[in-house]
Amino acid sequence: MTENKHQFRAIKGTRDILPPDSALWNWFEQTARNTLESYNFREIRLPIFEETELFARSIGADSDVVNKEMYTFSTAHDADRKEEGASFQTYSLRPEATASVVRAYIENGMQTLPGNAKLYYVGPMFRRERPQKGRYRQFYQIGAEVLGQSDAPAIDAEVIEMLMIFFKRAGLTRTTLYINSIGDKNCRPPYVELLREELRKLNDEATSVGRLGPDSQRRIETNPLRVLDSKLPEEQPIIAKLPRISDHLCDACREHFSKLKEELTLRGIAYEENWRLVRGLDYYTRTTFEVIAEGLGSQNAVCGGGRYDGLVELLGGLPTKGIGFAIGTDRAILSIQESGKLPQLPALAVFVAWMGPAAYPTAVNITRKLRQAGLAVELPAEEMRFKKSLGLADKLGARYALIIGEDEVTSGTFTLKRLADSDQKKLSEFELLEYLESERRDTRA
Ligand code: AMP
């Protein structure tokens, strides 16, 4: 039967995060949790799938994510349909989580909470993109959002500070922070119109600077801001000639942006302005930012964020201000790995090398006590010769081998061998626990 021979493989664009990498992932996410919680952000756990329409409305029905990249399915059973009272419903795996956070904010009446809602999430997202290094179909994000009544530039600055402090703690230091302001509903529409006119002109002229490709040509009419996102080399000379939003901000937006920059300076955050950093949707306002990291090739953005003051209303809530970011964990981890500056992560502390039936109960008991003291301990299930035990301990990367043989049982002691230099001591149970605990404290410190 050929079916039995089928070799199952992870689906294209998905992958397993195996040990020891998984320890680095956990450490990265835990560092994020610690940092974000120190800024008084709290976790929101969200569903992995939502109504397709939620994403269509929030991300934009004409965006690539919604148009081409979502994993969408419809309700499978008639029974489900009856229960929900809907004739037909389509769901999508979430391609991002801001839409879900906003949906949850409205649904759970969070606008009545005191102060701003400061929420973070950690988890997988799904987009059917062409897989390559740093780009997957199931990828992971850590995101934070602030929702509430205020749009003070200090909120934007604190969110950005928190992000950069986290990257620093995580050892992601070879980064560049780009910021921009894309105006608001007063100053952006006339700018977009100006951009459209200029693009039409440049395109019609077909001058020495060249022509726009088909995607950008289409965007002149649908969403000219998106032309600024283009990475096509032949379009760059044209884009360089386009009017910049910074010259067209209204007074309130200009003031907000200059306050943001002051606030970043106050907080010691280095940034570069990038006038091409845009978000093409109407509800985005003012601040946009992005962080790129070294060692990643073309997929070098490790975080994107911005203000979205119109989104809550767009999804049926009351007028609410909002700002947030999403960090791409896969890429951040890749960049840390490429830098070679990996944190010291907890590894196997003790391998218990026991031999002889009399040694076994002692081995089981001391193993339990060491584990209780917080050490990672491996106890072989079957008896092995010491030579083999020590060889395996070495291969597993244990720091110590705890040798328990007949001699040790008779004398009521343990032999502790440090594998790095073969240094060996004989210790009572009390001394052993003391020694390993203090050593654990030292290596953590
Ligand atoms: P976005 O939600 O598109 O603003 O993306 C935010 C961040 O998520 C990006 O800066 C990337 O680091 C990461 N990201 C987005 N799409 C992918 C993907 N397909 N694979 C890996 N990371 C991604």
Side-chain angles (χ1 to χ4, degrees):
M1 292 228 289
T2 50
E3 277 148 50
N4 285 345
K5 292 213 179 106
H6 179 69
Q7 179 70 56
F8 292 104
R9 293 186 169 278
I11 292 164
K12 184 174 169 192
T14 74
R15 64 209 178 113
D16 306 305
I17 314 289
L18 304 172
D21 287 358
S22 51
L24 181 62
W25 278 69
N26 285 334
W27 169 84
F28 184 80
E29 288 177 345
Q30 191 54 47
T31 306
R33 288 173 190 280
N34 295 346
T35 310
L36 272 48
E37 284 174 18
S38 77
Y39 282 78
N40 195 30
F41 280 69
R42 290 193 287 171
E43 183 174 12
I44 179 166
R45 294 196 177 219
L46 299 158
I48 299 275
F49 60 103
E50 299 267 5
E51 280 181 51
T52 303
E53 181 56 23
L54 174 70
F55 301 120
R57 219 190 290 174
S58 62
I59 303 167
D62 72 335
S63 63
D64 282 354
V65 169
V66 167
N67 250 336
K68 306 186 204 151
E69 297 170 3
M70 286 211 294
Y71 289 94
T72 297
F73 52 99
S74 52
T75 44
H77 305 295
D78 285 340
D80 280 355
R81 281 188 221 165
K82 254 182 236 137
E83 258 170 45
E84 288 160 20
S87 53
F88 188 70
Q89 185 64 277
T90 66
Y91 302 137
S92 297
L93 296 185
R94 60 182 190 190
E96 55 107 57
T98 301
S100 301
V101 172
V102 170
R103 195 253 322 124
Y105 177 84
I106 299 167
E107 186 176 345
N108 296 289
M110 286 193 240
Q111 61 278 3
T112 63
L113 296 175
N116 289 324
K118 297 166 82 175
L119 302 165
Y120 77 87
Y121 58 84
V122 178
M125 308 294 155
F126 305 85
R127 294 181 198 173
R128 192 188 283 112
E129 293 190 85
R130 196 172 47 76
Q132 65 180 89
K133 182 183 168 194
R135 190 158 75 186
Y136 310 97
R137 291 179 167 181
Q138 175 172 339
F139 61 99
Y140 295 80
Q141 287 186 338
I142 299 169
E145 318 282 354
V146 182
L147 292 148
Q149 288 313 305
S150 169
D151 63 355
I155 297 176
D156 309 39
E158 188 180 69
V159 162
I160 294 173
E161 178 194 288
M162 174 170 82
L163 170 70
M164 299 313 288
I165 293 274
F166 163 57
F167 279 159
K168 198 168 160 196
R169 282 195 195 167
L172 201 70
T173 46
R174 297 178 310 157
T175 54
T176 309
L177 165 69
Y178 292 110
I179 62 167
N180 190 24
S181 173
I182 55 168
D184 64 6
K185 55 180 183 301
N186 300 315
C187 53
R188 190 146 39 125
Y191 167 72
V192 170
E193 217 23 71
L194 181 69
L195 194 61
R196 184 175 277 132
E197 276 167 29
E198 279 306 304
L199 281 164
R200 280 185 190 139
K201 228 192 306 177
L202 284 166
N203 198 44
D204 291 347
E205 279 170 9
T207 55
S208 55
V209 286
R211 271 185 98 87
L212 292 167
D215 279 345
S216 290
Q217 294 222 14
R218 188 165 35 81
R219 288 178 180 140
I220 295 177
E221 302 311 321
T222 60
N223 197 339
L225 279 176
R226 287 245 162 98
V227 175
L228 304 181
D229 280 339
S230 162
K231 303 243 159 44
L232 295 177
E234 61 275 22
E235 294 186 346
Q236 303 311 311
I238 303 179
I239 292 169
K241 293 187 140 195
L242 293 169
R244 302 179 173 208
I245 183 125
S246 50
D247 300 326
H248 299 271
L249 292 176
C250 62
D251 289 346
C253 287
R254 194 187 307 280
E255 171 75 8
H256 192 275
F257 193 40
S258 86
K259 275 263 156 48
L260 167 66
K261 290 184 277 186
E262 265 173 43
E263 280 271 354
L264 289 175
T265 305
L266 169 71
R267 290 156 198 262
I269 306 294
Y271 60 84
E272 283 180 32
E273 286 182 54
N274 178 354
W275 70 279
R276 288 177 55 177
L277 199 61
V278 293
R279 302 247 155 188
L281 298 171
D282 286 346
Y283 61 82
Y284 280 113
T285 43
R286 298 183 169 170
T287 310
T288 56
F289 55 98
E290 184 172 77
V291 179
I292 59 153
E294 282 180 26
L296 292 173
S298 66
Q299 304 301 312
N300 62 354
V302 286
C303 180
R307 188 161 265 298
Y308 47 81
D309 291 345
L311 183 56
V312 178
E313 260 179 295
L314 184 74
L315 296 179
L318 299 167
T320 307
K321 315 283 195 218
I323 182 165
F325 63 71
I327 296 165
T329 305
D330 306 74
R331 293 183 194 174
I333 299 259
L334 271 175
S335 180
I336 293 171
Q337 285 171 329
E338 303 261 332
S339 77
K341 283 197 231 126
L342 297 178
Q344 262 228 326
L345 295 171
L348 181 56
V350 179
F351 186 98
V352 180
W354 63 275
M355 225 182 117
Y360 184 62
T362 311
V364 169
N365 278 313
I366 195 65
T367 298
R368 191 183 61 252
K369 288 177 189 166
L370 293 172
R371 284 174 176 161
Q372 213 155 6
L375 295 153
V377 183
E378 178 69 12
L379 172 71
E382 284 168 295
E383 187 175 30
M384 271 186 266
R385 298 193 160 281
F386 282 130
K387 193 163 176 237
K388 196 168 163 204
S389 275
L390 293 174
L392 183 56
D394 214 29
K395 281 191 202 132
L396 294 178
R399 267 204 313 284
Y400 294 98
L402 184 65
I403 298 167
I404 313 173
E406 261 166 47
D407 286 357
E408 282 80 9
V409 174
T410 324
S411 64
T413 56
F414 296 91
T415 301
L416 186 69
K417 179 173 177 164
R418 188 161 58 208
L419 292 167
D421 57 5
S422 294
D423 176 61
Q424 205 160 299
K425 352 180 159 337
K426 261 201 183 323
L427 302 166
S428 70
E429 179 179 314
F430 180 78
E431 289 167 337
L432 174 72
L433 284 164
E434 282 268 284
Y435 177 81
L436 286 176
E437 274 192 63
S438 75
E439 200 253 12
R440 182 176 69 101
R441 273 197 302 275
D442 292 350
T443 51
R444 290 263 162 100

